[in-house]
Amino acid sequence: MSPIITVLYAIAALTGAAFAAVEFRMLWRFIRNRQEIRTTVTSESSPDRTEIQTDESNLFPLVTIQLPLYNERRAAARIIRAAALQDYPRSRFDVQVLDDSDDETVNIVKDVVQALRSQGIQIEHLRRDHRSGYKAGALTEGLEKSEAEFVAVFDADFVPDPTFLRTVLVDRTGFDHPDVAFVQTRWSWREPLRGFFAASLALLLDRHFFVQKPTRAFFRNVATFNGSGGVWRRKAIDDGGGWSAETLTEDLDLSYRCALRGWRGRYLRDVGVVNELPADMRSFKRQQQRWSKGNAQCFRLLMGKVLSARGLLEDRIDEAFLLAGYAIHPILMINLVLWPWAVLLMNRPTFWVVQGIMGLVIVAAPVSFVLTVLERDKRLSLRSIGHIVSSVCIGIGLMVNNTIGQIQGFFTSGGEFVRTPKGHEAIAESEPVQEQLRAYQVPLHWSFFFELITIIYCLIGTAMLSTAGESLWAIPLLFWAICLGFVAQQQLTPTRV
């Protein structure tokens, strides 16, 4: 039994260390090239373009704004108005409300669209009698009714600034090169963030937008679209094969398919689009499980093509690890399950060597979050340190939830696109608050009970190691139990206004 545990635990530790090594490589690149990276993802205005006297059709390309909606009665009116009131010539853009709703959102959208159309806005309320393909299917059907050169996509919880289209398409240099498939802008949050939980979730996502995406852009790695808050070149969508419902992360899928066709994306960190964070842990878990499942599906479908794309992609190994990103969660789960047996049964010198390797995994996330806070806030504070600790705990506590998503993604294609309830800030005064909150309340997912089982396993393992005189090595199990317990407890806390 001891050799089997040793081999399994060593494999799990080495795999986890490989992910950590890739993370540290990215962080080191960021630190060494910080000033240049900031310049790369902060495009300067191009005043000469706007000053040149030219006709409107050349200066302002045709754009279709697509708004995929499904049961968004709290947020639908807000995003439709924000999209329609762009500071862009009305003859040069139109809005498609891709509404698959089956609740009162339909009537809300109908009223708003009629009002905007009466003001001269080119806007359509497109309805389907099915949800085939979910978001990807809705986007595809909308494109069939558009002849625009560019397509902007916003989810229901986003609120683009009135200058968004003008900034991306006219004032910035986003699409100045013909091989640019899309421009992705930074997700930003409503300030001030409501509560400690929201600030911790924001930090988890800010790492992606303040550190990872800028670094990858600087080193010409594959840029990825984040599903919302960006503009696509229609020609690139078509050349890449279009939106596909074969994965639940249609944005990641199309980004890589376009990259494999020679297209590239661009990220503008200085252009932010306000959107909302999930209101509670149940909603966040639902979102994360969908992302982890879609990530596994993309890994299964694209990994072979990425690794064989010699000469096309700058760093195929780095791309492989990005596609496998959520696999860190099942790796953590394997380490957790094997931990007490590794402590008791492994040869002690071998165990120490493996723990030295595991040290990389332990410190990677905190270091990454510290750099994110410094880049975002320019300083560390006691409050931000608390957010770092909380973000680490949430990341670890999601291991059960995201492992389930990864397993599902490796064995299935597509699946139901389960929406993440948003619009918490857009509650209408005409309807009782509690009634609105109940309407889209997320039920307790069955993964919650697996989390409880894992917590019990950790506590039993802690007691077992302490009894065997290995109290020091029981601490990690206790820490994992605390992280899982924090995530579990948050699911029992209802959303509060």
Side-chain angles (χ1 to χ4, degrees):
M1 187 66 177
S2 178
I4 295 175
I5 293 295
T6 299
V7 170
L8 292 176
Y9 187 72
I11 291 173
L14 288 169
T15 307
F19 276 87
V22 171
E23 177 77 6
F24 276 118
R25 177 176 177 248
M26 184 270 293
L27 296 176
W28 177 241
R29 284 178 156 188
F30 175 77
I31 293 169
R32 287 190 63 186
N33 303 279
R34 184 176 297 185
Q35 293 304 323
E36 293 87 347
I37 288 172
R38 288 171 179 165
T39 302
T40 300
V41 296
T42 307
S43 299
E44 297 297 332
S45 297
S46 303
D48 56 323
R49 289 189 63 193
T50 57
E51 290 172 2
I52 294 174
Q53 296 300 314
T54 183
D55 62 77
E56 192 175 82
S57 63
N58 289 331
L59 184 58
F60 298 98
L62 281 174
V63 189
T64 291
I65 302 176
Q66 293 190 311
L67 311 177
L69 303 180
Y70 175 67
N71 292 357
E72 296 284 1
R73 67 179 183 177
R74 299 201 304 251
R78 183 184 61 188
I79 178 55
I80 295 171
R81 292 192 184 102
L85 299 178
Q86 288 292 300
D87 179 21
Y88 203 79
R90 289 188 177 181
S91 63
R92 305 304 296 169
F93 83 98
D94 66 284
V95 180
Q96 292 181 343
V97 185
L98 309 173
D99 182 18
D100 285 350
S101 303
D102 54 18
D103 68 354
E104 57 268 44
T105 301
V106 177
N107 292 326
I108 294 172
V109 171
K110 180 180 178 181
D111 292 341
V112 175
V113 167
Q114 287 179 347
L116 290 169
R117 190 179 290 134
S118 69
Q119 299 171 24
I121 303 295
Q122 298 183 75
I123 184 168
E124 290 185 276
H125 182 195
L126 301 179
R127 296 275 298 147
R128 303 191 298 169
D129 56 6
H130 56 82
R131 288 190 72 201
S132 176
Y134 300 99
K135 180 180 177 180
L139 293 171
T140 299
E141 290 201 19
L143 286 178
E144 293 175 358
K145 297 176 174 63
S146 170
E147 296 181 356
E149 181 184 358
F150 294 97
V151 182
V153 181
F154 298 104
D155 288 339
D157 56 309
F158 280 68
V159 187
D161 188 85
T163 62
F164 181 87
L165 288 185
R166 181 183 289 269
T167 298
V168 173
L169 291 167
V170 181
D171 297 337
R172 295 297 198 241
T173 58
F175 286 99
D176 277 5
H177 200 284
D179 71 351
V180 175
F182 65 87
V183 171
Q184 174 67 57
T185 60
R186 176 176 53 84
W187 294 6
S188 60
W189 324 110
R190 293 180 177 276
E191 298 289 350
L193 290 169
R194 293 157 49 105
F196 200 81
F197 174 70
S200 301
L201 296 193
L203 180 56
L204 285 167
L205 294 170
D206 281 342
R207 168 193 166 272
H208 179 65
F209 287 99
F210 279 92
V211 176
Q212 185 185 48
K213 285 187 80 71
T215 305
R216 289 180 58 82
F218 181 75
F219 285 97
R220 297 185 66 83
N221 291 119
V222 174
T224 54
F225 184 60
N226 292 102
S228 182
V231 180
W232 275 87
R233 192 189 299 272
R234 171 65 184 272
K235 182 179 178 181
I237 296 176
D238 294 339
D239 188 54
W243 298 107
S244 170
E246 198 168 359
T247 82
L248 287 178
T249 47
E250 73 293 326
D251 45 5
L252 180 66
D253 178 31
L254 184 56
S255 297
Y256 270 92
R257 282 191 279 117
C258 284
L260 291 168
R261 295 281 296 172
W263 295 93
R264 62 188 176 94
R266 181 166 286 169
Y267 173 56
L268 297 180
R269 198 189 77 172
D270 62 321
V271 182
V273 185
V274 172
N275 70 109
E276 294 179 30
L277 292 158
D280 52 37
M281 183 61 78
R282 293 187 190 182
S283 301
F284 186 61
K285 275 186 58 180
R286 172 183 282 187
Q287 181 188 69
Q288 286 293 305
Q289 190 168 112
R290 186 179 77 239
W291 289 357
S292 63
K293 182 177 180 179
N295 179 264
Q297 291 169 334
C298 286
F299 177 88
R300 176 167 50 81
L301 294 170
L302 297 170
M303 180 58 72
K305 297 176 183 178
V306 166
L307 291 177
S308 62
R310 186 184 301 274
L312 184 61
L313 303 183
E314 293 284 332
D315 190 336
R316 288 172 296 154
I317 300 301
D318 197 70
E319 306 305 342
F321 273 94
L322 186 137
L323 280 173
Y326 273 88
I328 191 64
H329 294 281
I331 290 170
L332 287 173
M333 273 297 298
I334 293 170
N335 273 275
L336 182 153
V337 171
L338 293 175
W339 181 268
W341 313 109
V343 172
L344 294 175
L345 300 176
M346 281 182 66
N347 172 270
R348 193 49 49 129
T350 304
F351 181 75
W352 276 105
V353 170
V354 174
Q355 290 315 306
I357 296 172
M358 278 290 292
L360 286 173
V361 182
I362 295 170
V363 300
V367 171
S368 182
F369 290 136
V370 167
L371 284 175
T372 301
V373 170
L374 290 174
E375 183 68 10
R376 184 190 65 185
D377 303 339
K378 311 306 178 188
R379 66 185 184 90
L380 282 175
S381 64
L382 286 176
R383 185 172 181 80
S384 63
I385 291 172
H387 295 155
I388 291 170
V389 173
S390 177
S391 296
V392 170
C393 288
I394 292 173
I396 293 173
L398 286 171
M399 71 171 80
V400 173
N401 179 73
N402 291 353
T403 295
I404 292 171
Q406 283 274 287
I407 293 172
Q408 292 174 334
F410 276 118
F411 293 101
T412 63
S413 295
E416 181 182 2
F417 192 102
V418 183
R419 63 181 292 279
T420 303
K422 299 287 183 67
H424 186 63
E425 299 288 346
I427 292 174
E429 295 180 0
S430 60
E431 187 176 6
V433 167
Q434 293 306 320
E435 182 178 337
Q436 293 190 66
L437 291 177
R438 283 194 298 270
Y440 294 150
Q441 190 172 50
V442 177
L444 194 65
H445 192 264
W446 53 265
S447 60
F448 171 80
F449 300 101
F450 278 90
E451 289 164 352
L452 292 183
I453 292 171
T454 307
I455 292 170
I456 293 170
Y457 179 85
C458 288
L459 295 177
I460 292 174
T462 299
M464 184 174 68
L465 291 178
S466 298
T467 303
E470 299 285 1
S471 298
L472 179 65
W473 296 111
I475 294 175
L477 276 175
L478 186 60
F479 174 67
W480 287 328
I482 292 172
C483 294
L484 288 160
F486 176 71
V487 169
Q489 184 275 330
Q490 286 290 314
Q491 295 169 67
L492 300 177
T493 304
T495 302
R496 291 186 173 86
V497 178

